[in-house]
Amino acid sequence: MKSDLEAYLRVARYRVDRALDAWLPGKGDAPGSIHEAMRYCVFAGGKMLRPVLCLAASDACGGARELAVPAACAVELMHTYSLVHDDLPCMDDDDLRRGRATCHKVYGEGMAVLCGDALLTEAFAVLAKAEGTERYGVGEMVAELALTGGSRRLIGGQVLDLEGEGKRLSLEELVKIHEAKTAALLACSVRLGGMSANATREELEALTVFGNSLGLAFQVIDDILDVTQTTEKLGKTAGKDAAVEKATYPAVMGLEESRKEAVRLTGVALDALAIFGEKGTGLREIAEWMLVRDY
Amino acid sequence: MKSDLEAYLRVARYRVDRALDAWLPGKGDAPGSIHEAMRYCVFAGGKMLRPVLCLAASDACGGARELAVPAACAVELMHTYSLVHDDLPCMDDDDLRRGRATCHKVYGEGMAVLCGDALLTEAFAVLAKAEGTERYGVGEMVAELALTGGSRRLIGGQVLDLEGEGKRLSLEELVKIHEAKTAALLACSVRLGGMSANATREELEALTVFGNSLGLAFQVIDDILDVTQTTEKLGKTAGKDAAVEKATYPAVMGLEESRKEAVRLTGVALDALAIFGEKGTGLREIAEWMLVRDY
């Protein structure tokens, strides 16, 4: 990773981390058990990709970063809730996440359901504190997050994923799942960052193309890493997809073609950044790094 | 029930029912399975007490009902999601709700978790469409719903409830659970109705007292009905509280004292309506009916 990108990521993560820490109730707030569980899940050393993309999109549109922080916190909370619920025994049944025991392994299933519910609710609570801009009211931003998190996108993708286990899916079906489950929230992250910066409709459209394409590339790479990396490196159970016969890019199009597809999708994402010029540097470098990441 | 109250309730329920039907994705929207599950849970012939109270609070503040419909839909969706998750095997493990099989009994546990998640998300989606008024922006209304649904109130109450099972709770502890788990959402329902009607701060304060006190009364009566009514009448498993040694008002203060407490709390709620004069008739009659309800 380039050292200037490393600094960029560190600064952005620190900012979101600090904001989440200030926002979330402490272990001292009653009931302490759920606040402990929420913090266990949120402060687990994740990549914080979505909030960083949100802030970088604000940069690309020339916004003041501070105004994008509520949206950045919101997308990270929504992502974390979705992991907590997806990991439940009645869903993907995973024991390991971000290098440690999943929420329900530590706090029990009932608490993990409630913890996910609370993180989802906090996503909207923190976003409601956004100021809104000339072009975008806070209601529009909340509607954007809710549409993304809802039954046609994020949750719908998990439904398709559950229903697709053990079945042979076509490439088209696989793309549909990943668009809903992964790409939608990445696109939402950059769109909310752009909206916080009062982006023009043209800029917002460019961010949408960028986010959707990068999101698909991200998932292709995730699928590749699942078969090429170790559990230790990934911080989650490697080889899981094949074990439960889940459709993945390598399974559908082979490893080599999957790598080419990730490069192609990243190219589409990078092309969409043209209109931002120099201000798009943060988004560009993150996209390039995501292509070569190994965890 | 007085016949004019019956008509009042019928009109209000019809309005919310129609709005929810128009709002929620249909079974034809992909993925159809989750949309079927969501509709199964929402259109189950519940009392729709919260949305009706929301509309009645708008009436009390002289608002145009149409403006309170998004808030009314939002509180019903939040209530329904909380029932779906509370009924899960890892929580209260209930088979029966609103007179029929619970969501997870029909659609499986994984789908029930996702269905609850989707209903919660839709609550914010529909509320984001509220117009906001001179005194209250839509951001403030979303923040209100998120605070109510969050880990310090609705979810926090369920946590305390889970942690309290099989323990001897003091009256004070019991009140704390019911304030968080039941009263908060009733208070939120009337507050959002008031906010939709551009209520004054004084009117909003009166609605808060009304909602909190009525919410506690509601829970006392629920506890009484659990020991005095049949499963058939309630549409949910009667005698459940005693079976799992859950602390209830009758268990803590006896049946007769519980009845007196319900009357007292309802009195406090009714007194708070004084400032609304004639316009408070809807809220007043609903509160009186709730005291004598037998389901």
Side-chain angles (χ1 to χ4, degrees):
Chain A
M1 197 188 296
K2 289 192 236 173
S3 68
D4 46 351
L5 173 62
E6 218 171 283
Y8 186 92
L9 292 176
R10 197 164 48 232
V11 169
R13 281 174 184 148
Y14 177 73
R15 190 135 198 186
V16 176
D17 208 72
R18 215 180 42 179
L20 283 169
D21 188 32
W23 178 262
L24 292 173
K27 292 176 195 178
D29 286 297
S33 50
I34 188 153
H35 296 133
E36 184 186 316
M38 289 163 76
R39 285 174 169 269
Y40 175 86
C41 298
V42 171
F43 302 112
K47 287 186 281 289
M48 299 192 89
L49 180 65
R50 290 152 195 84
V52 167
L53 283 170
C54 179
L55 296 186
S58 164
D59 291 352
C61 300
R65 260 195 187 188
E66 205 53 39
L67 299 180
V69 169
C73 291
V75 294
E76 181 64 9
L77 289 170
M78 178 160 283
H79 174 58
T80 306
Y81 122 77
S82 75
L83 297 181
V84 172
H85 280 187
D86 285 2
D87 285 340
L88 286 168
C90 61
M91 304 257 237
D92 297 348
D93 194 12
D94 255 308
D95 294 350
L96 197 68
R97 172 68 68 181
R98 291 174 171 173
R100 49 186 185 165
T102 43
C103 186
H104 63 90
K105 294 302 279 186
V106 179
Y107 298 98
E109 273 184 64
M111 187 62 95
V113 171
L114 292 171
C115 178
D117 292 344
L119 294 171
L120 172 57
T121 306
E122 284 303 329
F124 289 105
V126 70
L127 187 58
K129 298 296 178 192
E131 295 189 21
T133 62
E134 202 190 312
R135 292 195 185 90
Y136 310 98
V138 64
E140 199 171 341
M141 295 173 74
V142 169
E144 172 91 22
L145 185 68
L147 178 69
T148 302
S151 56
R152 293 182 184 92
R153 305 273 170 91
L154 187 62
I155 293 169
Q158 177 67 5
V159 170
L160 293 175
D161 207 7
L162 278 183
E163 292 177 346
E165 266 181 26
K167 286 183 194 158
R168 269 194 86 83
L169 299 187
S170 67
L171 179 60
E172 198 181 82
E173 290 168 314
L174 183 63
V175 169
K176 200 179 271 182
I177 292 177
H178 290 337
E179 277 175 347
K181 213 183 148 179
T182 307
L185 188 52
L186 259 75
C188 175
S189 300
V190 290
R191 281 174 58 87
L192 286 178
M195 290 163 96
S196 305
N198 198 35
T200 63
R201 291 283 164 188
E202 196 192 1
E203 288 174 324
L204 211 57
E205 190 43 48
L207 289 173
T208 310
V209 173
F210 172 80
N212 278 319
S213 204
L214 188 72
L216 276 184
F218 179 85
Q219 190 60 55
V220 176
I221 295 161
D222 238 38
D223 285 359
I224 293 172
L225 294 176
D226 183 72
V227 291
T228 58
Q229 292 292 336
T230 62
T231 295
E232 198 183 0
K233 185 84 188 170
L234 296 180
K236 60 183 178 182
T237 316
K240 185 82 197 294
D241 295 338
V244 298
E245 294 182 50
K246 194 175 262 192
T248 63
Y249 280 86
V252 171
M253 57 165 64
L255 203 53
E256 216 34 60
E257 283 305 308
S258 298
R259 288 204 170 100
K260 282 185 198 160
E261 180 65 2
V263 172
R264 188 190 70 78
L265 288 164
T266 303
V268 173
L270 291 172
D271 286 348
L273 296 179
I275 67 162
F276 299 110
E278 267 305 298
K279 292 199 268 61
T281 303
L283 288 178
R284 188 159 25 247
E285 293 195 346
I286 294 169
E288 286 165 355
W289 161 61
M290 279 174 58
L291 191 57
V292 297
R293 73 191 167 96
D294 59 0
Y295 69 97
Chain B
M1 196 189 296
K2 289 194 238 171
S3 67
D4 46 351
L5 173 61
E6 219 172 280
Y8 186 92
L9 292 176
R10 196 164 47 233
V11 169
R13 282 175 184 147
Y14 176 73
R15 190 135 197 187
V16 176
D17 209 71
R18 215 180 40 177
L20 283 169
D21 188 31
W23 178 262
L24 292 173
K27 292 176 195 178
D29 286 297
S33 50
I34 187 151
H35 297 133
E36 184 186 317
M38 290 164 76
R39 286 176 168 269
Y40 175 85
C41 298
V42 171
F43 302 111
K47 285 186 282 290
M48 300 192 87
L49 179 64
R50 291 152 194 84
V52 167
L53 283 170
C54 179
L55 296 186
S58 165
D59 291 351
C61 299
R65 261 196 186 186
E66 206 52 39
L67 299 179
V69 168
C73 291
V75 295
E76 182 64 9
L77 289 170
M78 177 161 283
H79 174 58
T80 305
Y81 121 78
S82 76
L83 296 181
V84 172
H85 280 188
D86 285 3
D87 285 340
L88 286 168
C90 60
M91 304 258 238
D92 297 350
D93 193 13
D94 255 308
D95 295 349
L96 198 68
R97 171 68 68 181
R98 292 173 170 174
R100 49 185 184 166
T102 45
C103 186
H104 63 91
K105 294 302 278 185
V106 179
Y107 298 99
E109 274 184 66
M111 188 62 96
V113 170
L114 292 171
C115 178
D117 293 345
L119 293 171
L120 172 55
T121 305
E122 284 303 328
F124 289 104
V126 70
L127 187 57
K129 298 295 178 191
E131 295 189 21
T133 62
E134 201 191 311
R135 292 195 184 89
Y136 310 97
V138 64
E140 199 171 341
M141 295 173 74
V142 169
E144 172 91 23
L145 185 67
L147 177 69
T148 302
S151 56
R152 294 181 183 93
R153 304 272 170 94
L154 186 61
I155 294 170
Q158 177 67 5
V159 170
L160 293 175
D161 207 7
L162 278 183
E163 291 177 347
E165 266 181 26
K167 286 184 194 158
R168 269 194 86 82
L169 299 187
S170 67
L171 180 61
E172 198 182 81
E173 290 169 314
L174 183 64
V175 169
K176 200 179 273 182
I177 292 177
H178 289 337
E179 276 175 349
K181 214 183 145 177
T182 307
L185 188 53
L186 259 74
C188 176
S189 301
V190 289
R191 281 174 57 87
L192 286 177
M195 290 163 95
S196 305
N198 198 35
T200 63
R201 291 282 165 189
E202 196 191 1
E203 288 173 324
L204 211 57
E205 189 44 47
L207 289 173
T208 309
V209 174
F210 172 80
N212 278 318
S213 204
L214 188 72
L216 276 184
F218 178 84
Q219 190 59 56
V220 176
I221 296 161
D222 238 37
D223 284 0
I224 293 172
L225 294 177
D226 183 72
V227 292
T228 58
Q229 293 292 337
T230 62
T231 295
E232 198 184 359
K233 184 85 188 171
L234 296 179
K236 60 183 178 183
T237 317
K240 185 84 197 293
D241 296 337
V244 300
E245 294 183 52
K246 194 175 265 193
T248 63
Y249 280 86
V252 170
M253 56 165 64
L255 203 55
E256 214 36 60
E257 283 306 307
S258 298
R259 288 205 170 100
K260 282 184 197 158
E261 180 64 1
V263 172
R264 188 189 71 78
L265 288 164
T266 302
V268 173
L270 291 172
D271 287 348
L273 295 179
I275 67 164
F276 299 110
E278 267 305 298
K279 292 198 269 62
T281 303
L283 288 178
R284 188 159 25 248
E285 294 195 345
I286 294 169
E288 286 165 355
W289 161 61
M290 278 172 59
L291 191 57
V292 296
R293 73 191 168 97
D294 58 1
Y295 69 96

